[in-house]
Amino acid sequence: MIHHQFVPQKLSDKKIKGTTTWEAPSNIALVKYWGKKEPQIPMNTSLSFTLSQSRTITTLSYIPKKGEVADFEVWLDNELKEDFKPKIKKFLSRVDDYLPFLGDYDLKIETTNTFPHSSGIASSASGMAALSLCLMQMELELNPEMDDAFFRHKASFLARLGSGSACRSLDGGIVVWGEHPSIPGSSDLCGVGYPLEIDDVFNGYKDAILIVEEGQKQVSSTLGHSLMDNHPFAEQRFSQANANIDQLIPILEIGDLEAFVNLVESEALSLHAMMMTSDPNYLLMKPNTLAIINKIWEFRRLSGIMICFTLDAGANVHLLYPASYAKHVTSFIERELLKYCQNKKFIQDEVGIGPRQL
């Protein structure tokens, strides 16, 4: 399946050499994507908050290839990572039709995260988004007439081919991925900025990421998605997610925080329910994950403050709340929740504006 609008029609044949650096944010889905078909097409629409502090910084160095075949290196935190090469190689092969000049260059990819790698904070999303922006910077040098809108649009398209959720990290605020009849311009091919009305309460929305567990996840997201292929509840889950998008539209428009809390928490638990009922099944939540969830429920019941949790494909908890409650919620975290976090660690994050070139 070749999408011809992203195949370059006019590129300079000059040989270039240089370095470019981009940073891209992670994102946290409110309506989850779980299950896909080739090539990286989602089985349901998803919607996410773009984060601010949880980011990946990637530097791409490129020179004309020295040998018969182009080569590349991947470095994380100044350490050569041979185990990252298969995933990057697969990504580069997927984007070959859309970046045909890459076969003429040796690449060095140097990356670092502002948050723990492989712990359920979507490092693949921010990483593939940052790398795609760097690759697009190469194309821009060969096609300087490219406009910024197409640059970002194609970067999101490319990022999706590396990690599905990465396409939601190319814009700020609220981003949608997956075609949905109720959202104009939504697409299976890339993420788009949410085009409908959003109440002011969601401006600067906070996300305290409570680090229950650092380190490698027990089950990769790639495997998790594949287990939806024969899942007995898959079709019901896809229908649920798409229906939740319809429900979320008026919630975002009028700022109905109680309905927002109920929907977001239901989505998080549905995601993990799919994991627990797949074959083979698995459980990524830990005892401290559940302890934090129960504390959040208790705090909300006693205070009336509309905080809520969501989960990615890992044990860590994202605590979402309006900026106006920051003082109260920070006190609650320090008093009640840090004891459940590994090394009493959490990341104070918020909805951000998207990637930037450094």
Side-chain angles (χ1 to χ4, degrees):
M1 184 188 300
I2 303 298
H3 297 280
H4 295 283
Q5 69 268 38
F6 297 114
V7 176
Q9 301 302 310
K10 183 176 66 173
L11 290 174
S12 169
D13 58 3
K14 69 177 181 179
K15 290 295 182 284
I16 57 176
K17 176 181 178 181
T19 298
T20 183
T21 301
W22 279 84
E23 69 170 10
S26 184
N27 65 79
I28 180 64
L30 308 177
V31 174
K32 309 295 184 179
Y33 134 72
W34 203 242
K36 62 185 177 182
K37 57 187 176 182
E38 289 297 330
Q40 296 283 88
I41 300 297
M43 296 301 292
N44 64 265
T45 307
S46 60
L47 180 148
S48 62
F49 277 153
T50 301
L51 298 179
S52 177
Q53 303 305 314
S54 301
R55 307 176 75 84
T56 296
I57 300 97
T58 295
T59 297
L60 177 69
S61 303
Y62 47 94
I63 59 173
K65 64 183 180 182
K66 297 176 181 178
E68 288 294 318
V69 179
D71 197 10
F72 67 93
E73 296 178 348
V74 186
W75 295 71
L76 174 66
D77 298 330
N78 298 313
E79 180 183 349
L80 185 64
K81 302 293 288 187
E82 291 293 335
D83 56 325
F84 282 19
K85 288 196 74 169
K87 183 171 185 176
I88 300 299
K89 184 177 182 180
K90 184 176 182 180
F91 169 61
L92 293 176
S93 69
R94 282 176 169 172
V95 304
D96 182 64
D97 288 319
Y98 309 106
L99 302 172
F101 55 87
L102 286 182
D104 295 328
Y105 293 90
D106 291 336
L107 307 176
K108 182 179 181 181
I109 303 163
E110 300 171 274
T111 190
T112 187
N113 300 315
T114 64
F115 55 91
H117 175 73
S118 294
S119 57
I121 313 181
S123 59
S124 61
S126 54
M128 286 297 181
L131 176 56
S132 296
L133 287 161
C134 290
L135 294 173
M136 285 304 299
Q137 199 69 38
M138 287 183 68
E139 182 176 339
L140 182 62
E141 192 170 347
L142 296 169
N143 178 19
E145 297 179 6
M146 185 191 312
D147 63 42
D148 184 64
F150 183 80
F151 180 100
R152 292 295 183 100
H153 188 53
K154 183 171 176 178
S156 181
F157 171 83
L158 297 176
R160 187 198 94 245
L161 295 173
S163 170
S165 58
C167 74
R168 299 194 307 250
S169 286
L170 274 295
D171 208 338
I174 297 176
V175 180
V176 177
W177 173 38
E179 186 174 346
H180 195 285
S182 300
I183 301 181
S186 57
S187 171
D188 288 343
L189 301 183
C190 55
V192 298
Y194 185 74
L196 304 176
E197 292 294 319
I198 303 171
D199 188 85
D200 287 344
V201 73
F202 295 109
N203 291 332
Y205 221 75
K206 301 291 186 181
D207 178 7
I209 307 169
L210 304 162
I211 309 297
V212 171
E213 182 179 75
E214 293 185 331
Q216 186 72 35
K217 291 186 295 186
Q218 293 176 344
V219 180
S220 71
S221 294
T222 299
L223 175 59
H225 284 290
S226 70
L227 293 176
M228 290 296 284
D229 293 345
N230 298 303
H231 199 292
F233 307 134
E235 292 303 320
Q236 293 91 331
R237 167 58 199 152
F238 304 147
S239 296
Q240 177 195 41
N242 287 324
N244 280 343
I245 294 286
D246 277 320
Q247 292 184 41
L248 193 55
I249 291 171
I251 291 171
L252 294 174
E253 181 178 359
I254 66 175
D256 185 342
L257 289 183
E258 183 174 357
F260 178 81
V261 162
N262 290 337
L263 187 149
V264 168
E265 292 188 344
S266 173
E267 273 288 314
L269 295 175
S270 292
L271 171 67
H272 282 258
M274 292 301 100
M275 301 173 189
M276 289 187 283
T277 52
S278 62
D279 183 14
N281 51 35
Y282 55 102
L283 178 62
L284 295 184
M285 287 188 285
K286 302 297 182 183
N288 282 358
T289 307
L290 299 175
I292 289 171
I293 289 172
N294 278 298
K295 284 291 185 180
I296 290 170
W297 284 341
E298 180 183 38
F299 177 85
R300 190 168 70 223
R301 178 177 59 83
L302 294 176
S303 69
I305 295 176
M306 288 292 109
I307 65 173
C308 68
F309 71 86
T310 191
L311 307 166
D312 217 328
N316 299 327
V317 180
H318 292 251
L319 174 55
L320 305 175
Y321 58 97
S324 59
Y325 294 140
K327 182 177 179 180
H328 297 288
V329 177
T330 299
S331 176
F332 163 60
I333 292 170
E334 293 173 347
R335 185 179 66 251
E336 298 287 348
L337 301 184
L338 285 188
K339 61 187 175 184
Y340 300 112
C341 299
Q342 187 172 343
N343 299 321
K344 296 187 177 181
K345 185 174 182 179
F346 79 107
I347 299 170
Q348 189 62 273
D349 216 325
E350 62 188 2
V351 176
I353 60 172
R356 62 172 180 158
Q357 187 178 16
L358 300 180

